[in-house]
Amino acid sequence: MTVTGVRAQARIVARPDGRGGTALPVLEGEGPLALRRTRSSGAEARVMVVGAMSGPLGGDRFGIDARVEAGARLSVGSAAATIALPGQLKGEARYGVRLDVADGAELRWLPEPLISAKGSDLHVGTRVDVQPTGRLVLREEQVLGRAGEEPGRLTSRLTVRVAGKAVLDQELACGPGAPGGWDGPAVLAGHRAVGQLVIVRPEFGHEPVTARMLGESAALTPLPGPAALVTAVAGDALLLRRLLDQALDQLGA
């Protein structure tokens, strides 16, 4: 008998409810990916991803799809950090995220950090499609190892397209077996927490942000089209969140 890891998929669809708010006609989660609608105000709907099991472990395949239809507003967070663990099965775990934002829609994707524990091997792939008048705030935070622990192998790829054109396509590999130099001065420079914000706004197409440093370890970069990228490194998750929150405040997002 062949033993495989856990397969789990979650789906969210948000659309206007006709009364100035946002309905969630599809809110489906499996196994470790439980979804809960939480209290919100105004036009925005809020969803929390609640981890019902440990993982992802070696061999697991997780995925989340979210679609925000025209005129809807959705905010998605998670109840706790996601911890990649080695598990009993050998092999890579995979976690895929697929986000679609329609014209006139808005998505705030703000999960808690992903922690790469010693011995784990995880590939995370996030693909985002935003239509010309859609709006997006996306946060990614990755922590290499728990306190006093060496990291596992972590590969993360983020692709963002606006109006069908790629504005960002980047990959970062860290930990044992990753290409040399990932911990050197040109990449993480010894830091153990790395994060980024991708912000898409139609007005950035007319008034692009100016590239600049945001303190000593965060940088703001304009992307092609109506988008901007903030990248930050820090010694721990708490400091990283502080840097990214400050960047959001400065950008008014």
Side-chain angles (χ1 to χ4, degrees):
M1 181 177 67
T2 301
V3 179
T4 61
V6 174
R7 267 57 175 168
Q9 190 75 25
R11 295 179 60 237
I12 307 169
V13 175
R15 65 172 57 124
D17 63 5
R19 302 186 301 275
T22 297
L24 299 173
V26 178
L27 190 65
E28 302 172 347
E30 297 177 338
L33 299 176
L35 303 178
R36 301 287 184 269
R37 181 166 188 168
T38 61
R39 182 173 297 179
S40 60
S41 60
E44 183 182 76
R46 294 182 181 177
V47 173
M48 193 71 66
V49 181
V50 181
M53 298 168 56
S54 297
L57 310 178
D60 288 352
R61 299 289 186 268
F62 292 178
I64 298 181
D65 294 338
R67 186 174 81 246
V68 190
E69 298 183 357
R73 297 180 61 188
L74 175 66
S75 177
V76 179
S78 57
T82 297
I83 304 179
L85 297 166
Q88 295 182 342
L89 296 178
K90 302 297 182 181
E92 181 186 66
R94 300 187 72 89
Y95 200 138
V97 177
R98 182 74 168 83
L99 309 175
D100 287 282
V101 184
D103 275 321
E106 179 176 339
L107 172 63
R108 295 173 62 85
W109 187 263
L110 304 170
E112 294 301 303
L114 168 63
I115 301 173
S116 174
K118 183 178 180 179
S120 64
D121 186 357
L122 176 64
H123 184 284
V124 181
T126 302
R127 180 172 176 175
V128 189
D129 276 282
V130 184
Q131 295 308 309
T133 62
R135 304 173 74 88
L136 170 74
V137 176
L138 179 147
R139 180 180 69 210
E140 281 194 345
E141 297 170 312
Q142 295 157 356
V143 180
L144 304 181
R146 294 168 290 193
E149 177 186 66
E150 290 299 310
R153 171 71 181 269
L154 176 62
T155 303
S156 174
R157 182 171 182 179
L158 173 61
T159 304
V160 180
R161 300 193 305 176
V162 178
K165 297 181 179 180
V167 301
L168 179 67
D169 190 350
Q170 67 177 26
E171 182 172 286
L172 176 65
C174 304
W182 66 269
D183 201 23
V187 188
L188 297 186
H191 294 91
R192 283 296 178 264
V194 58
Q196 54 195 353
L197 295 166
V198 179
I199 302 170
V200 178
R201 295 179 182 170
E203 54 265 36
F204 283 169
H206 307 290
E207 299 179 6
V209 301
T210 301
R212 61 185 187 273
M213 294 298 296
L214 302 174
E216 295 184 358
S217 56
L220 172 63
T221 306
L223 298 175
L229 172 69
V230 175
T231 305
V233 293
D236 58 48
L238 183 61
L239 180 54
L240 178 66
R241 176 64 60 84
R242 189 177 303 152
L243 290 170
L244 295 179
D245 283 349
Q246 289 172 353
L248 279 177
D249 288 342
Q250 291 185 42
L251 292 170

